[in-house]
Amino acid sequence: MIATISPVSVTEAHPFRQALVDAGLLFPSDVPGVYGRGAAMEAIVAGLDAAISGLGSDDGTSVIRFPPVMSRAMIERGGYLRSFPHLLGTVHCFEGDDAGQERILQQVERGEDWGGEQRLTDLVLAPAACYPIYPASAGTLPAAGRLLDVSAYCFRHEASPDPARMQAFRMREFVRLADPATVEAWRDQWQPRALQFLRDLGLDPRLAPANDPFFGRGGRLLAASQAADGLKLELLVPTSSDVKLTAVMSLNYHREHFGETFAIRTADGAIAHSACTAFGMERIALALVRAHGVEPGDWPAEVRARLRLAA
Amino acid sequence: MIATISPVSVTEAHPFRQALVDAGLLFPSDVPGVYGRGAAMEAIVAGLDAAISGLGSDDGTSVIRFPPVMSRAMIERGGYLRSFPHLLGTVHCFEGDDAGQERILQQVERGEDWGGEQRLTDLVLAPAACYPIYPASAGTLPAAGRLLDVSAYCFRHEASPDPARMQAFRMREFVRLADPATVEAWRDQWQPRALQFLRDLGLDPRLAPANDPFFGRGGRLLAASQAADGLKLELLVPTSSDVKLTAVMSLNYHREHFGETFAIRTADGAIAHSACTAFGMERIALALVRAHGVEPGDWPAEVRARLRLAA
């Protein structure tokens, strides 16, 4: 077994992370919040994926899996840079010649920042799984609206020693696009369903109003209004700490934001509303480890059965 | 169903890509080579993943799954910028204040390049699945060496209308680290094994010497010497074209390159050699579609059984 991946700069002591590494569930790298996953970790995530499919899909659900990069233009149009410029990762590439390569190699040799040789491409790292589906839904929805089941490896630029705050992580989402009443009803029925889903895994979730980490001075206002309007609810459980809980799922009501931005209309011509239910796959897995221990073979039989973990 | 994701700039006609889109296997975006994957495509890839596990793993195999980003420092040390600077994606982030955000928003508004507001981070997009394991293996190997089973969503900066030439794609790899004789024997026994694996899926592969797409003037020399020394073999089958074949697997012998760079030694103190067998997951899936049709339900029963596709 490879125990660690050159954990050079990851020096801050973190007992839960250490337990995950010692058990072979995570392999740290020299970048905080970027981990390899061991076989047992992947089995947990695969089990969660299957359980979530059983929970939220019906015959009309469109299943799409997205790569970890997506269109920069769509992120610009969607308003992400207004709310979260500090979390976004943009993809840059080299388009120079032999001389440019030589400059890069010399700057690397001297330990200098060679970012100036790289050019902004038309891609960013996906900040959430659902972003690509709004521009794709431009036009008129079917009469019943639309339900999508999406996932992606997502990125958020926040280096942390806390294994529950990864820079690269998988997000699964159900997204509902329809008229306001339908979308609100869908969001509301997910509250008991999400609580029950986590309880069935032996967790003890709290449901609480929340806000996204909006950027800058204007962000404080956006966060306050999001919380006051009840547009975001989080399901919180212990992961790295029993005291400071971690959000492992969220229920988000976007109202007309994406419908207006990307010209999505209901069958009767009104601006469509949207909502999503998001699952932080690694976070739920870590919550299970926190609750049941680092050895999935020793977890309660009903949890193992639900996650299809081999006996 | 969502038929397309704003295929704005993907205008070049490509009949095979169109067939994949029409069948719901791929969902194009407005960036060439970046696609969403439909449920049937994911089922094929999952089936391939399971079949590959059965093929290459033994009791001593270390399984690690990597995220789509990895340490920039390890890529710099590993020599990737010397060989392939034009294919690498670097991750850049915004670390400014409200004024910087305002500049970004204005540049976006004016359609200008706002890359100058972004800073090179300590992360790059993974160019191959196996890179993180060489620095992690620094030190002395066990007497039998080491066998690893790794995978990652990889990135290569090459926009193409050909669906078999994606910018974001999954790569699965087996990696062998040991003394030269052991590594060469391992690589050699993969030649018939890889051919048989693809034949069992109803494909008709060619095995051919190949070279990596090295950059610049110096690259031509590197490519010629790699091919002459037989260090890279590719397994080629039809995907987008029946005439111009596509490499769907490769067998790569790195000799002492990674052992020397990352100070990996065999039990008797010599520099370790390394080799890897790589599977291009989307490419194999596309080859299967080319060979058997866009509807996996209609594929030959033995192929479906091998990929565990439901009847």
Side-chain angles (χ1 to χ4, degrees):
Chain A
M1 284 299 285
I2 292 187
T4 57
I5 294 174
S6 311
V8 178
S9 66
V10 186
T11 49
E12 193 174 327
H14 197 293
F16 185 56
R17 186 187 60 208
Q18 195 57 50
L20 295 163
V21 171
D22 291 345
L25 292 164
L26 294 184
F27 296 82
S29 74
D30 64 340
V31 180
V34 176
Y35 301 89
R37 279 83 168 145
M41 180 73 179
E42 288 303 285
I44 299 169
V45 170
L48 285 171
D49 247 326
I52 292 168
S53 294
L55 186 70
S57 286
D58 62 34
D59 287 347
T61 310
S62 296
V63 176
I64 313 184
R65 303 289 170 247
F66 290 108
V69 292
M70 65 168 286
S71 161
R72 172 168 59 84
M74 295 307 130
I75 281 294
E76 291 172 354
R77 279 182 60 195
Y80 195 84
L81 290 166
R82 198 164 287 284
S83 300
F84 315 110
H86 56 309
L87 297 178
L88 185 67
T90 45
V91 179
H92 296 229
C93 288
F94 173 68
E95 295 181 341
D97 56 8
D98 290 81
Q101 181 193 29
E102 192 50 40
R103 284 195 301 275
I104 291 179
L105 293 173
Q106 288 176 8
Q107 290 172 87
V108 167
E109 185 69 32
R110 295 193 295 260
E112 295 172 2
D113 182 332
W114 50 277
E117 302 294 335
Q118 302 290 98
R119 294 285 161 265
L120 183 68
T121 68
D122 47 7
L123 291 168
V124 298
L125 294 177
C130 67
Y131 275 96
I133 64 105
Y134 304 111
S137 299
T140 300
L141 297 172
R146 192 170 273 158
L147 177 63
L148 297 110
D149 166 354
V150 296
S151 78
Y153 232 115
C154 298
F155 177 81
R156 288 187 191 167
H157 183 232
E158 41 178 1
S160 168
D162 180 355
R165 195 163 284 281
M166 294 186 183
Q167 296 201 74
F169 57 93
R170 278 161 289 189
M171 188 188 296
R172 176 90 178 265
E173 294 187 62
F174 292 106
V175 186
R176 189 74 172 99
L177 291 160
D179 62 89
T182 302
V183 171
E184 283 186 59
W186 182 83
R187 196 268 312 260
D188 290 344
Q189 53 94 19
W190 261 105
Q191 294 182 37
R193 192 194 274 191
L195 284 165
Q196 194 58 48
F197 173 69
L198 295 174
R199 284 179 188 138
D200 287 344
L201 294 171
L203 303 176
D204 178 23
R206 303 274 171 275
L207 183 70
N211 59 265
D212 287 307
F214 292 99
F215 177 77
R217 279 196 299 273
R220 284 196 288 275
L221 211 66
L222 289 171
S225 112
Q226 185 186 38
D229 292 351
L231 297 181
K232 187 181 190 74
L233 297 169
E234 287 180 342
L235 289 106
L236 301 127
V237 294
T239 58
S240 291
S241 155
D242 291 330
V243 179
K244 193 173 178 313
L245 304 184
T246 301
V248 296
M249 291 182 60
S250 67
L251 314 180
N252 305 278
Y253 182 26
H254 319 121
R255 293 201 284 211
E256 75 290 345
H257 173 71
F258 290 112
E260 201 163 84
T261 304
F262 293 107
I264 311 167
R265 297 191 167 271
T266 60
D268 62 5
I271 296 290
H273 279 220
S274 65
C276 67
T277 299
F279 301 78
M281 303 303 288
E282 279 81 0
R283 286 187 173 182
I284 302 176
L286 296 190
L288 291 167
V289 172
R290 182 78 185 192
H292 306 308
V294 294
E295 180 43 73
D298 297 336
W299 289 4
E302 61 276 19
V303 174
R304 297 178 50 74
R306 215 165 271 277
L307 297 178
R308 307 182 188 183
L309 296 174
Chain B
M1 284 301 283
I2 292 186
T4 58
I5 294 174
S6 312
V8 178
S9 67
V10 186
T11 49
E12 193 174 327
H14 199 294
F16 185 55
R17 185 187 62 209
Q18 195 56 50
L20 295 163
V21 171
D22 291 344
L25 291 163
L26 294 184
F27 296 82
S29 73
D30 64 340
V31 180
V34 176
Y35 301 89
R37 278 84 165 145
M41 180 74 180
E42 289 303 286
I44 299 169
V45 170
L48 285 170
D49 247 326
I52 292 167
S53 295
L55 185 71
S57 286
D58 63 33
D59 287 348
T61 310
S62 295
V63 176
I64 314 184
R65 302 289 170 248
F66 290 108
V69 292
M70 66 167 286
S71 161
R72 172 167 60 84
M74 294 307 129
I75 281 294
E76 290 171 355
R77 279 182 60 195
Y80 194 84
L81 291 165
R82 197 164 287 284
S83 299
F84 315 109
H86 56 309
L87 297 178
L88 186 67
T90 45
V91 179
H92 295 229
C93 288
F94 172 68
E95 293 181 342
D97 55 8
D98 289 81
Q101 181 194 27
E102 191 51 40
R103 283 195 301 275
I104 291 179
L105 294 174
Q106 286 175 9
Q107 289 172 88
V108 167
E109 184 69 30
R110 294 192 296 260
E112 294 173 3
D113 183 331
W114 50 277
E117 301 294 334
Q118 303 290 97
R119 294 284 160 268
L120 183 69
T121 68
D122 48 7
L123 291 168
V124 298
L125 294 177
C130 67
Y131 275 95
I133 65 104
Y134 304 110
S137 300
T140 301
L141 298 172
R146 191 169 274 157
L147 177 62
L148 296 110
D149 166 355
V150 297
S151 77
Y153 232 115
C154 298
F155 177 81
R156 287 186 191 167
H157 184 231
E158 40 177 4
S160 169
D162 181 353
R165 194 162 285 281
M166 294 186 182
Q167 296 201 72
F169 56 93
R170 279 162 288 191
M171 189 188 294
R172 176 89 177 265
E173 292 187 62
F174 292 106
V175 186
R176 190 75 172 98
L177 292 161
D179 62 89
T182 302
V183 170
E184 282 185 60
W186 182 84
R187 195 268 310 259
D188 289 345
Q189 53 94 21
W190 262 105
Q191 295 182 37
R193 191 193 274 192
L195 284 165
Q196 193 58 49
F197 173 69
L198 295 174
R199 285 179 187 138
D200 287 345
L201 294 171
L203 302 175
D204 178 23
R206 303 273 170 276
L207 182 69
N211 59 264
D212 288 308
F214 292 100
F215 177 78
R217 280 195 299 270
R220 282 196 288 275
L221 211 65
L222 290 170
S225 117
Q226 185 186 38
D229 292 351
L231 298 180
K232 186 180 190 75
L233 297 169
E234 287 178 342
L235 288 105
L236 301 126
V237 294
T239 58
S240 290
S241 154
D242 291 330
V243 179
K244 194 173 178 313
L245 303 184
T246 302
V248 298
M249 290 183 61
S250 67
L251 313 181
N252 306 279
Y253 181 26
H254 319 121
R255 294 200 284 213
E256 75 289 346
H257 173 71
F258 290 113
E260 201 164 84
T261 304
F262 293 107
I264 312 167
R265 295 191 169 273
T266 60
D268 62 5
I271 296 289
H273 279 218
S274 62
C276 66
T277 300
F279 302 77
M281 303 303 288
E282 279 81 0
R283 286 186 173 182
I284 301 176
L286 295 190
L288 290 167
V289 172
R290 183 78 185 191
H292 306 308
V294 294
E295 180 44 71
D298 298 337
W299 289 4
E302 60 276 20
V303 175
R304 298 178 49 76
R306 215 166 270 279
L307 298 178
R308 305 183 190 182
L309 297 173

